Amino acid sequence: MRYTKLWVSFAIVFIVSFAILGYYGGRIYQTMPPIPERVVSTDGTVLYTKSDIQDGQNVWQSIGGQELGSIWGHGAYVAPDWNADWLHRQSLWMLNSWAQTDYGKKYSEIDDETKAALRERLKREIRTNTYNKKNGEITLSPLRVEAIKNISRHYASLFTDDPKFDELRNAYAMPRNVIKDSERLDSFISYIWWTTWATETNRPGDDVTYTNNWPAEELIDNKATGEMLIWSVVSFVLLLAGVGALAWYYATQKHHEADEDFPKKDPLLALEATPSMKATTKYFWVVAALWLVQVLLGAVTAHYQVEGSAFYGIPIADWIPYSLTRSWHTQLGILWIATAWLATGLFIGPAVSGYEPKFQRFGVNFLFVCLLIIVVGSMVGQWFAVQQKLGHTANFWFGHQGYEYTDTGRFWQIFLTIGLFLWLFLMVRSLLPAFKNLKESRHLLALFLVASTAIPVFYIPALLWGQHTNLAIAEYWRWWVVHLWVEGFFEVFATVVMAFLFTRMGLLGLRTATVSVLFSTIIFLFGGIIGTFHHLYFSGTPTGVIAFGATFSALEVVPLVLIGFEAYENLTRSKAKQWVAAYKWPIYFFVSVAFWNLVGAGLFGFFINPPIALYYMQGLNTTSVHGHTALFGVYGMLGIGLMLFCLRGLTVKQEWRTGSLKFSFWAINIGLALMVLLSLIPIGLMQTWASVQHGMWYARSAEFMSREIVHNFVWLRVIGDTIFALGGLALVWFIIGLKTGWSLSNERLDYAETDTNKKA
């Protein structure tokens, strides 16, 4: 049977893909940049110890980590990439020192031929790997030690309260005394040095650095490798081949149900919400509240780019600095979207099976309380962390882990993992009777349970790095969570839920839905699982990651080229019968998901994913373009659409007054588009030019980012942000109105078949 072939294909893709992902995880352990036992000068003086570097990692995490500048290109965009910044400062200092000693001039004043000779000398000095595996020591020359001391003084002044650095701190959106303790400061600087050492030092027996020559720095000949160019070209070819193959396959299939098969009346009119289904309403209130807070924090975070220590003159940086507002902004984005999807699952279970297990309502309410504790507790812990009020161990467990999108302390991560398994338990117990009563749906139900199981299981990698885990390993596991959990199995889960909704309403045939969902899942995971590697090109990974990442990240885009068909089919369903008009705006949000899937995840994703592109674009606003249009445009819109479908089911016997909902839909989509087109794309493209011409250090420097034209484009973002925020307020107003009554009319029409919509 056709289902069997699809399930076998699913199993093969799943097993083979994770085998490759696991193999290269093992290779990372073998090739990652080592943390030395000691860093010493040639005269035996100890600069840093392993303990210093590991403590420095914890300090870096506590101040916000990847939310304050970036390391290896991953993180925030206002402050510099600290590795690119350190590397350029160190290189210039050493070149100037040699030029002054040998020629009595600054490096910029000598002739080009002499400059070339000094750069070659610098390359040998910097890129030669002096790590001794036997005793665990890195040995540095006296001049390099002096360069480190010079740059350390710069960072010490920047991260404390030296008034000479006030202007630079303002450009970086950093308050005074980011690090308040001198011992912590010394440890922090040692960690920045070590992560930079990995970007400038060749792997043993190789001519590329541990980070595959990232960042671009012409002074030491850090440049894109041939592998990056070759595999980028291969990815283009595979993309075209995949598009052609999938288009051919799609053209041979039947996609539409006959109009006469659609129900004449709304099947959900017979739906009686169970106590546990009604209990999910409060989840959607929290979704609305968290979204509003996230939008406000996004506005504050964006404004910090032009007024680094205040918000329209209000000096808030000492209490909620950029690193904290951005932490909360990204974290709440994940939490409210996940909450919407989880609540949808809790709603769908009894709705599909028609069975309300004993104490199901209690379980839903208990999980809700746990969610509130996690949200509030993790945010409070991060505030204490950024204010430097927690020790290293307390910060790891309850404060700020410093890794973008997985910032929450380990205690809160464990708490969330337990909560996700509790959610799975509640889902399974409510759905089990459906396997017995709805045998024709068992394949779709099985895929639903697989996707549901993957949600708690694939959050477990967030628990697999420790307080002192090598950054290369931590990044490997972090992207399991961010890419596989958020971008992978949540999407499969949402796809199955949408299929359930449309089949439950009679707008999609069960067999068509099952085949389509299974096929879509196979195609998506075929590229998506191994496509995780495109996040890891420059994170201390072996060069094989570039080949697999480039190839399979291109294949991730292939399913998205047919997204127009999905949008068209959703629009067709919205007009299938008169009664479907009641679900118009939830379906329209699904249509917008299709649009942003193509534009945000597809076009903007592939724009930065090829290795040769990401080499120059990683850590620039081009990444932010993809982040906003894919994370919110796809997953946020999907969360809103699912939420509205559930709320429609809970108020199915009453009409909605949809004026505010209509305004919300258009304002959110137009606002998001303007935010990207008027601000993020222009800034990102200007940064890309600067990165190609001069290097990553310049594209992220205060000199470049403080230019008037950049600030003008930042201010232009206010237009899109304001429209977007008004749309958000309108949506919240509508949701509140479902409780107070102003979003409901007095009657719910049956939408019986009329002469005007019968087939001729």
Side-chain angles (χ1 to χ4, degrees):
M1 191 174 179
R2 191 175 183 185
Y3 291 149
T4 302
K5 293 180 180 179
L6 288 171
W7 278 111
V8 170
S9 299
F10 174 82
I12 292 173
V13 167
F14 191 88
I15 293 170
V16 173
S17 297
F18 275 104
I20 294 173
L21 203 63
Y23 168 77
Y24 274 98
R27 290 281 293 137
I28 292 172
Y29 277 95
Q30 299 169 355
T31 61
M32 64 187 180
I35 301 177
E37 295 295 329
R38 288 168 302 279
V39 180
V40 300
S41 66
T42 52
D43 64 5
T45 303
V46 177
L47 277 74
Y48 307 126
T49 65
K50 185 174 184 177
S51 178
D52 293 332
I53 295 171
Q54 290 179 329
D55 286 345
Q57 179 180 17
N58 296 152
V59 176
W60 168 74
Q61 292 173 308
S62 72
I63 65 174
Q66 292 173 338
E67 309 295 356
L68 182 61
S70 58
I71 294 287
W72 294 353
H74 294 301
Y77 312 112
V78 177
D81 180 88
W82 300 114
N83 305 131
D85 183 70
W86 182 297
L87 177 55
H88 189 71
R89 291 178 185 278
Q90 172 186 257
S91 299
L92 273 183
W93 191 92
M94 294 177 69
L95 288 170
N96 276 317
S97 178
W98 282 327
Q100 194 68 45
T101 300
D102 296 348
Y103 307 104
K105 298 179 181 180
K106 294 180 179 179
Y107 172 73
S108 59
E109 297 172 349
I110 61 179
D111 61 85
D112 290 343
E113 186 177 349
T114 307
K115 283 182 179 178
L118 289 182
R119 287 198 301 270
E120 189 62 31
R121 183 178 173 185
L122 177 69
K123 178 182 175 181
R124 289 196 302 270
E125 171 77 21
I126 295 293
R127 295 181 68 108
T128 300
N129 194 330
T130 59
Y131 174 70
N132 187 325
K133 192 173 182 179
K134 292 181 179 178
N135 60 19
E137 289 185 351
I138 295 175
T139 305
L140 304 177
S141 68
L143 183 67
R144 201 163 170 189
V145 171
E146 285 302 313
I148 290 173
K149 290 180 179 178
N150 178 273
I151 299 167
S152 295
R153 287 191 291 270
H154 169 83
Y155 278 81
S157 297
L158 178 63
F159 281 85
T160 52
D161 60 355
D162 188 338
K164 295 179 181 178
F165 283 74
D166 283 347
E167 185 177 346
L168 187 58
R169 273 192 292 268
N170 195 61
Y172 292 165
M174 292 171 55
R176 287 189 172 192
N177 291 315
V178 172
I179 302 175
K180 298 176 172 62
D181 179 82
S182 60
E183 185 176 342
R184 284 188 169 213
L185 180 62
D186 291 340
S187 297
F188 166 77
I189 292 172
S190 72
Y191 185 67
I192 300 301
W193 173 83
W194 175 78
T195 54
T196 304
W197 174 82
T199 70
E200 66 188 15
T201 302
N202 286 347
R203 278 199 182 96
D206 208 339
D207 60 354
V208 297
T209 70
Y210 287 102
T211 57
N212 291 313
N213 284 359
W214 193 94
E217 177 54 75
E218 63 177 359
L219 296 179
I220 66 164
D221 206 23
N222 251 18
K223 59 185 179 182
T225 64
E227 288 90 344
M228 294 180 200
L229 183 59
I230 290 171
W231 287 109
S232 295
V233 173
V234 169
S235 72
F236 298 143
V237 174
L238 285 175
L239 174 61
L240 294 175
V243 168
L246 192 59
W248 176 83
Y249 174 85
Y250 196 86
T252 64
Q253 307 304 305
K254 179 182 177 181
H255 309 296
H256 302 284
E257 303 293 323
D259 184 67
E260 57 266 19
D261 292 334
F262 293 148
K264 295 182 178 181
K265 298 178 70 172
D266 185 353
L268 295 187
L269 285 172
L271 178 68
E272 291 295 334
T274 66
S276 70
M277 292 166 64
K278 293 177 182 178
T280 62
T281 304
K282 64 177 75 69
Y283 283 77
F284 299 122
W285 296 343
V286 169
V287 167
L290 293 182
W291 186 33
L292 274 186
V293 175
Q294 191 213 2
V295 171
L296 175 62
L297 289 168
V300 174
T301 302
H303 188 77
Y304 269 134
Q305 190 167 339
V306 292
E307 193 179 357
S309 59
F311 183 69
Y312 293 101
I314 304 172
I316 62 174
D318 288 338
W319 291 99
I320 49 171
Y322 173 89
S323 60
L324 188 61
T325 61
R326 192 176 190 273
S327 300
W328 288 346
H329 177 67
T330 55
Q331 178 177 309
L332 289 180
I334 296 292
L335 287 174
W336 77 256
I337 292 171
T339 300
W341 293 10
L342 298 179
T344 299
L346 294 172
F347 178 89
I348 286 293
V352 169
S353 67
Y355 172 68
E356 173 86 349
K358 192 175 182 180
F359 301 121
Q360 182 78 355
R361 181 173 180 272
F362 172 80
V364 171
N365 289 333
F366 180 76
L367 187 61
F368 176 77
V369 173
C370 292
L371 173 67
L372 291 182
I373 293 172
I374 291 169
V375 172
V376 175
S378 61
M379 291 178 71
V380 170
Q382 287 169 349
W383 184 88
F384 276 97
V386 171
Q387 294 296 327
Q388 298 289 279
K389 296 180 182 295
L390 299 177
H392 295 332
T393 302
N395 175 72
F396 176 77
W397 282 94
F398 300 101
H400 203 308
Q401 288 211 39
Y403 298 117
E404 191 178 24
Y405 297 113
T406 55
D407 299 295
T408 54
R410 179 53 48 85
F411 172 80
W412 308 112
Q413 290 177 329
I414 293 174
F415 198 166
L416 179 58
T417 304
I418 295 172
L420 290 172
F421 275 102
L422 173 59
W423 169 81
L424 178 63
F425 170 73
L426 294 172
M427 290 274 296
V428 171
R429 70 197 296 257
S430 66
L431 276 173
L432 283 179
F435 279 93
K436 184 183 300 184
N437 301 329
L438 303 172
K439 291 184 179 180
E440 69 277 9
S441 303
R442 63 185 183 276
H443 289 281
L444 198 57
L445 286 167
L447 189 58
F448 183 69
L449 288 183
V450 168
S452 300
T453 303
I455 289 175
V457 167
F458 281 94
Y459 190 73
I460 291 177
L463 312 179
L464 298 183
W465 65 78
Q467 187 176 342
H468 297 125
T469 297
N470 190 299
L471 181 59
I473 298 300
E475 281 292 276
Y476 172 75
W477 289 121
R478 180 173 78 92
W479 285 110
W480 272 57
V481 178
V482 179
H483 186 86
L484 290 177
W485 188 63
V486 177
E487 298 182 30
F489 290 99
F490 254 153
E491 176 145 332
V492 174
F493 171 78
T495 302
V496 180
V497 169
M498 288 172 62
F500 264 125
L501 292 172
F502 284 129
T503 55
R504 181 71 175 81
M505 295 170 67
L507 300 178
L508 184 63
L510 183 61
R511 186 178 183 280
T512 299
T514 304
V515 171
S516 297
V517 169
L518 265 170
F519 181 74
S520 298
T521 299
I522 292 166
I523 294 297
F524 181 79
L525 294 184
F526 179 71
I529 295 175
I530 303 176
T532 305
F533 283 146
H534 79 254
H535 300 285
L536 299 171
Y537 294 148
F538 315 118
S539 297
T541 53
T543 53
V545 165
I546 293 177
F548 277 100
T551 301
F552 285 88
S553 65
L555 294 176
E556 280 187 271
V557 183
V558 169
L560 304 181
V561 301
L562 299 176
I563 217 72
F565 290 103
E566 178 187 333
Y568 174 77
E569 288 173 351
N570 285 339
L571 279 172
T572 301
R573 292 181 189 117
S574 72
K575 302 173 183 177
K577 293 291 180 180
Q578 185 180 357
W579 61 265
V580 186
Y583 302 90
K584 174 182 177 179
W585 293 108
I587 293 175
Y588 268 40
F589 272 100
F590 292 155
V591 173
S592 70
V593 169
F595 172 80
W596 290 112
N597 224 340
L598 174 61
V599 175
L603 297 180
F604 292 146
F606 191 72
F607 180 56
I608 64 174
N609 281 352
I612 196 66
L614 199 59
Y615 182 76
Y616 295 105
M617 292 181 176
Q618 181 160 290
L620 306 183
N621 275 268
T622 46
T623 306
S624 185
V625 169
H626 173 55
H628 281 84
T629 54
L631 180 58
F632 179 81
V634 178
Y635 303 108
M637 294 290 190
L638 192 53
I640 294 172
L642 293 175
M643 173 178 67
L644 291 175
F645 245 114
C646 294
L647 292 174
R648 177 73 275 181
L650 290 168
T651 57
V652 71
K653 292 180 171 57
Q654 290 179 281
E655 275 292 320
W656 279 1
R657 293 173 176 164
T658 58
S660 58
L661 195 55
K662 177 180 179 180
F663 173 81
S664 171
F665 173 81
W666 291 112
I668 290 170
N669 280 279
I670 292 172
L672 179 59
L674 291 177
M675 179 198 310
V676 170
L677 294 175
L678 296 181
S679 182
L680 295 179
I681 286 180
I683 295 174
L685 291 177
M686 286 190 294
Q687 283 185 297
T688 301
W689 174 87
S691 177
V692 173
Q693 290 291 107
H694 303 288
M696 178 60 62
W697 69 271
Y698 181 65
R700 291 283 299 275
S701 67
E703 177 186 355
F704 181 84
M705 295 302 293
S706 297
R707 296 168 64 190
E708 184 177 357
I709 188 172
V710 174
H711 278 189
N712 289 340
F713 278 114
V714 173
W715 277 110
L716 282 174
R717 180 171 168 172
V718 171
I719 299 172
D721 285 2
T722 302
I723 296 173
F724 183 90
L726 290 174
L729 288 171
L731 180 62
V732 173
W733 175 264
F734 174 80
I735 292 171
I736 294 173
L738 293 178
K739 179 65 175 178
T740 61
W742 63 60
S743 296
L744 298 170
S745 67
N746 295 327
E747 296 181 359
R748 169 75 161 102
L749 300 177
D750 286 347
Y751 285 116
E753 184 79 356
T754 65
D755 291 336
T756 58
N757 65 2
K758 288 181 180 178
K759 288 179 66 71

